Amino acid sequence: MWRQESAERSSSLSLSICEWVCEDVRPTWSGGAPKFSRQLNVSTMAASQLLLLLLAGCVAASVGPPRQLSPCQVVQHDVFCSNLSLRGAPLNLPHPVQMLDLSRNRVQNLTQETLAFHTGFHYLNLHSNKIHFIQPGLFKDMTDLRVLDLSKNHLNVVASSRVNVGPLTAVESLDLSSNGLSTEMTDYFLADSPSLTNLSLNSNSITKIAQNTFSGSLSLRKISFHNNVILEIEDGAFEPLDNLTELDLSKNSIMCIKDFNLYNLVVLNLNKNSIDNFQSTQSSGLFKLRSLDLSENKMLYFPLLPEMNTLEYLDISRNHLQAVNVTGSKDERMIINLSFLRFLDMSYNQLQSVPESFFYCMGSLEVLNMSKNCISSFSVTNKEVLRRVKVINLSYNYLQTLTFKENSLQCLEKLFLQGNDLTTLDHQIFQRLPSIRCLQLQENNLKICTSEQNQQEAVVTGQNHLQLPGCVSFTSVKNLHFLNISENNLRTLCANAFVNTSLKVLDLSFNAGLELHDGSLSGLEHSLVHIFLKENNISSLNTELSSLRSIKHVDLSANQLSRLPKLHKDSSIESLNVQNNNLVTLDHQTFHVLEHSLKTLYMGSNPLSCCDSIGFLHMVRHSRVVVPDIEAVTCVHDDFSEPVSIVNVTKEMCHRPEVPKYASFFVVLLIVVLACLLGAVVFKCCHLRKQKHMRSFNA
């Protein structure tokens, strides 16, 4: 590439020489009379010939095709030279150049020559080079430069010279990520950057943010220190930045935040630090903070947030919270007003209980995630609590008690309860959720009520205890679209279990020994689209899928089916999974029904008979049905000791050569003749014995 650049420079130099010679020669010849000195001898003729040759070269250069900027790409005023092993920009760049991309090259020294003496850049990308020297004052004349990307270089070497890189007069966005910069090195890049609004210092070696770090760049709005080793933030480091709205301090080593007082900050990311305490300053001023990420820290208590705030997003997941009291206070009811909060994530903690009063101040909450804790009981009895919540995730706790009173949680659409110890619920609990659309109930021990149990009411027993039917009802949960009740040890699914629902997806998988009765899926004829019956040890499907006119996806894998369920000619099934069953032969009529709608079929791990599956093979080869696991589909053939891949089966393997009719006639005739001969021999033998006997008697 160096040779190529040298060639370009020499070519440009030759062109310049040609132009100079042409300018000097033209006046000499245009005058008509020669002006050469009489002292010139015979060599004058040779010189004249040389000048003529140079003139011809100049003319050829002027009329030849325009030079191409190779290998860079030029789009109007933007030049792209990324990943070309260049040490600098080509000299013949077009004028003006507003955007230059020299990323992923071999630039080491950043000078005027490196940039081909251009100064009119708006955007300059030098990402992923080997820059360890920057010419002092290089950016002084770049008054239009707005975006400068110097990430993934060796700017720590540049900073060791203790010379300011600036002034960066007009630069608004500066990326210094992955440069090995330590704490004081950033000053040489930020000392004279009055227009800077966006700064990235990700993946460096910064340990402290000093009080005067940003004194030369007071217009900053967004700063990112992600993935450093920050241990200390000096008091007042960010206070001069009145326009600062976003601050990313994630993946550092910060241990504590006290007296948080950045009133104008909107987004604060403290993810993946070692924070055990977060406290804001005691003030009646309004904080503009809307998003606070404290996930993956070591917090023991709920953060002490500003009293006057507009916080909408709060993530304190993956900490060590054992209770929701604030900063270790004894009164668990002490909580800061969070009336604007819409998203709260407290998952992956050690919470054992969350009182209903904790949510009194969260009137706008829409998403609540408390999964992966140790909560054993959860209840909402006040209709004003969580009145706008749409999603509640209580999965993978130790829930044994769940209570929702009438008219509570009117907006709840998704409820995640999987992976708990739920065995007994108020059988009408889900009918109290008028907006519920999605229920995740897998990995519990619930039973589904029968038609009779659905009509039972809770009975009050001694000491005002309620005796519940011991099952849960899904009938008349009118907006329910998704229900997962897999892994609940269900044994039977009675008729009309889902009547008056709008179920589109039903998962009943991993309920070993589950028995479906005729009418188990009644009421779902026109709504159900997906049904999952995987690994239920089903040997025969008593309920007919034919009645489900909207069904498109059926999973019957890992069961004991020896034949496919009968289907209606108007079946709409598009995807069918019957892997890992006991299918020996496939009903040709069933596949004929499926052919017009079926798009995907999974058939692997079945003991198919090769010769009884010719119809299936014909369908696969001559229809649009796709069998993704076709390579794993095998069959058994008498002539082979090992299963045969279904794709290798041919008709010839299953048809013995037929015996001609005339041969059969001769075979029959031969048998008759042999029988007659045998009879004659037997008769002859008997006759001779009789004669011999008579002779002996006469004697």
Side-chain angles (χ1 to χ4, degrees):
M1 187 55 66
W2 180 84
R3 292 179 180 176
Q4 180 179 352
E5 291 177 15
S6 299
E8 291 174 352
R9 293 176 184 175
S10 62
S11 175
S12 178
L13 185 61
S14 299
L15 188 59
S16 300
I17 292 174
C18 285
E19 291 173 354
W20 176 78
V21 170
C22 290
E23 289 175 357
D24 286 350
V25 169
R26 282 173 190 147
T28 304
W29 289 95
S30 61
K35 298 181 180 180
F36 300 106
S37 176
R38 293 180 180 179
Q39 297 177 353
L40 293 177
N41 53 19
V42 181
S43 61
T44 304
M45 184 62 69
S48 300
Q49 291 177 351
L50 177 60
L51 289 173
L52 286 172
L53 290 173
L54 288 172
L55 181 60
C58 292
V59 173
S62 63
V63 300
R67 294 181 57 82
Q68 298 296 320
L69 184 62
S70 177
C72 300
Q73 295 182 353
V74 180
V75 180
Q76 294 182 348
H77 302 297
D78 299 339
V79 180
F80 301 89
C81 301
S82 179
N83 200 21
L84 296 174
S85 299
L86 299 175
R87 295 186 182 275
L91 290 176
N92 53 350
L93 293 177
H95 291 273
V97 177
Q98 294 183 354
M99 192 280 285
L100 175 61
D101 184 355
L102 267 176
S103 62
R104 304 181 187 279
N105 281 291
R106 298 181 181 179
V107 178
Q108 295 182 3
N109 299 320
L110 189 56
T111 64
Q112 291 181 346
E113 185 180 7
T114 305
L115 301 177
F117 301 97
H118 287 264
T119 59
F121 301 113
H122 291 185
Y123 180 102
L124 184 56
N125 186 354
L126 294 160
H127 165 77
S128 295
N129 278 279
K130 300 179 180 180
I131 299 172
H132 58 261
F133 172 78
I134 298 178
Q135 180 180 340
L138 175 65
F139 302 105
K140 180 177 62 174
D141 296 327
M142 297 185 187
T143 56
D144 293 322
L145 185 61
R146 298 290 186 270
V147 179
L148 177 59
D149 189 343
L150 292 168
S151 58
K152 288 195 175 181
N153 281 282
H154 302 304
L155 299 187
N156 55 329
V157 180
V158 176
S160 63
S161 65
R162 300 180 180 275
V163 177
N164 288 344
V165 174
L168 302 176
T169 309
V171 173
E172 297 175 356
S173 178
L174 176 62
D175 194 340
L176 300 173
S177 303
S178 303
N179 272 288
L181 297 173
S182 58
T183 299
E184 296 179 355
M185 291 182 175
T186 58
D187 297 349
Y188 302 111
F189 298 90
L190 305 177
D192 196 358
S193 306
S195 301
L196 192 61
T197 59
N198 190 343
L199 172 65
S200 177
L201 287 163
N202 299 337
S203 302
N204 281 290
S205 301
I206 300 169
T207 58
K208 182 175 73 171
I209 302 176
Q211 190 175 23
N212 62 344
T213 298
F214 308 108
S215 59
S217 47
L218 298 178
S219 299
L220 279 167
R221 296 179 184 175
K222 182 178 180 180
I223 307 175
S224 180
F225 282 99
H226 171 75
N227 193 25
N228 278 271
V229 284
I230 296 172
L231 291 163
E232 180 185 357
I233 302 175
E234 289 188 354
D235 291 341
F238 297 105
E239 288 183 18
L241 306 178
D242 294 333
N243 299 317
L244 186 64
T245 58
E246 293 186 39
L247 178 59
D248 187 349
L249 292 166
S250 59
K251 203 173 183 181
N252 279 280
S253 302
I254 302 169
M255 301 181 66
C256 182
I257 298 292
K258 289 186 177 180
D259 296 327
F260 171 74
N261 62 349
L262 301 180
Y263 292 90
N264 294 323
L265 197 65
V266 176
V267 178
L268 175 58
N269 188 351
L270 291 165
N271 165 259
K272 291 185 179 180
N273 278 274
S274 300
I275 299 172
D276 57 12
N277 192 8
F278 181 96
Q279 295 188 30
S280 60
T281 186
Q282 296 294 324
S283 170
S284 59
L286 177 64
F287 285 75
K288 297 180 180 179
L289 190 65
R290 293 184 182 178
S291 176
L292 175 59
D293 190 343
L294 287 165
S295 61
E296 296 189 60
N297 280 283
K298 298 180 180 180
M299 294 183 59
L300 299 174
Y301 310 106
F302 201 81
L304 180 59
L305 302 169
E307 182 177 353
M308 296 292 292
N309 67 80
T310 57
L311 197 64
E312 296 181 5
Y313 177 102
L314 176 59
D315 189 347
I316 49 176
S317 63
R318 299 179 187 274
N319 278 273
H320 302 303
L321 271 68
Q322 297 181 359
V324 292
N325 55 327
V326 178
T327 63
S329 63
K330 294 181 180 180
D331 188 359
E332 290 191 355
R333 292 174 298 178
M334 178 184 174
I335 187 70
I336 305 301
N337 179 31
L338 292 171
S339 58
F340 292 93
L341 192 65
R342 297 173 57 201
F343 179 97
L344 175 60
D345 191 344
M346 297 192 296
S347 61
Y348 289 90
N349 279 285
Q350 300 168 16
L351 295 170
Q352 297 183 2
S353 65
V354 181
E356 188 173 344
S357 58
F358 174 72
F359 302 108
Y360 283 172
C361 64
M362 304 181 190
S364 300
L365 194 64
E366 295 180 3
V367 178
L368 172 62
N369 187 355
M370 295 189 295
S371 62
K372 298 283 185 175
N373 277 281
C374 308
I375 301 170
S376 60
S377 177
F378 185 80
S379 64
V380 178
T381 59
N382 188 333
K383 66 179 181 179
E384 294 300 320
V385 174
L386 300 176
R387 64 180 184 273
R388 294 184 182 178
V389 74
K390 295 180 180 179
V391 180
I392 295 179
N393 191 342
L394 289 163
S395 61
Y396 299 102
N397 278 277
Y398 299 128
L399 274 180
Q400 295 179 345
T401 305
L402 184 68
T403 305
F404 299 142
K405 290 297 184 181
E406 198 75 37
N407 297 322
S408 64
L409 303 175
Q410 294 290 295
C411 296
L412 185 63
E413 296 178 1
K414 297 180 181 180
L415 179 60
F416 298 87
L417 297 170
Q418 66 266 31
N420 281 283
D421 293 329
L422 294 171
T423 55
T424 303
L425 292 175
D426 180 350
H427 74 303
Q428 294 287 319
I429 188 171
F430 300 124
Q431 281 79 0
R432 299 194 185 101
L433 306 175
S435 302
I436 194 70
R437 295 166 59 88
C438 172
L439 275 174
Q440 293 275 14
L441 294 168
Q442 65 267 33
E443 299 180 59
N444 283 285
N445 286 289
L446 297 171
K447 294 181 176 61
I448 300 178
C449 293
T450 63
S451 300
E452 294 76 15
Q453 289 172 319
N454 283 331
Q455 298 175 359
Q456 293 180 14
E457 298 292 338
V459 178
V460 179
T461 60
Q463 298 181 351
N464 294 325
H465 289 300
L466 290 177
Q467 181 178 355
L468 302 173
C471 58
V472 63
S473 171
F474 297 105
T475 61
S476 300
V477 185
K478 296 185 178 180
N479 291 315
L480 188 61
H481 288 172
F482 180 101
L483 174 62
N484 189 339
I485 197 166
S486 62
E487 296 185 74
N488 269 269
N489 296 314
L490 294 176
R491 290 292 179 266
T492 183
L493 188 63
C494 63
N496 302 316
F498 307 109
V499 149
N500 294 326
T501 67
S502 303
L503 273 178
K504 294 182 178 180
V505 180
L506 175 60
D507 194 341
L508 295 163
S509 303
F510 300 102
N511 288 294
L514 176 65
E515 184 178 356
L516 274 69
H517 297 281
D518 187 24
S520 292
L521 303 178
S522 294
L524 304 179
E525 291 83 1
H526 301 290
S527 65
L528 196 62
V529 177
H530 302 255
I531 186 168
F532 299 89
L533 293 165
K534 180 178 181 179
E535 203 164 324
N536 284 325
N537 202 30
I538 298 173
S539 57
S540 61
L541 203 58
N542 296 326
T543 184
E544 289 193 8
L545 299 178
S546 299
S547 60
L548 305 175
R549 299 302 175 87
S550 298
I551 196 74
K552 292 183 182 297
H553 306 278
V554 179
D555 189 346
L556 293 166
S557 59
N559 281 290
Q560 303 294 325
L561 292 173
S562 57
R563 62 183 179 84
L564 292 178
K566 292 182 179 179
L567 298 170
H568 193 271
K569 64 180 181 179
D570 295 328
S571 171
S572 58
I573 296 177
E574 295 180 0
S575 174
L576 176 62
N577 190 339
V578 288
Q579 292 175 322
N580 290 286
N581 275 278
N582 291 330
L583 297 172
V584 175
T585 183
L586 302 173
D587 186 356
H588 178 73
Q589 182 178 359
T590 300
F591 276 108
H592 180 69
V593 169
L594 287 171
E595 269 187 311
H596 78 280
S597 65
L598 194 64
K599 296 179 181 178
T600 307
L601 174 65
Y602 293 88
M603 277 292 303
S605 301
N606 277 285
L608 296 173
S609 170
C610 293
C611 295
D612 291 337
S613 304
I614 294 294
F616 158 70
L617 186 61
H618 181 271
M619 184 195 71
V620 172
R621 290 176 177 173
H622 297 90
S623 71
R624 63 178 181 175
V625 178
V626 176
V627 184
D629 63 342
I630 188 66
E631 299 297 331
V633 181
T634 59
C635 60
V636 179
H637 195 283
D638 293 339
D639 293 343
F640 299 91
S641 58
E642 296 292 332
V644 180
S645 175
I646 196 72
V647 297
N648 296 328
V649 176
T650 62
K651 291 183 178 180
E652 289 74 16
M653 293 170 60
C654 300
H655 289 83
R656 304 294 182 186
E658 294 186 3
V659 181
K661 293 182 178 179
Y662 64 86
S664 301
F665 172 76
F666 282 113
V667 169
V668 173
L669 181 60
L670 180 60
I671 293 173
V672 172
V673 171
L674 289 175
C676 292
L677 290 174
L678 181 61
V681 171
V682 172
F683 176 77
K684 184 68 175 177
C685 291
C686 292
H687 181 69
L688 290 174
R689 181 177 294 181
K690 183 176 181 181
Q691 286 182 344
K692 185 177 180 181
H693 177 71
M694 289 178 65
R695 287 176 186 170
S696 61
F697 179 77
N698 292 333

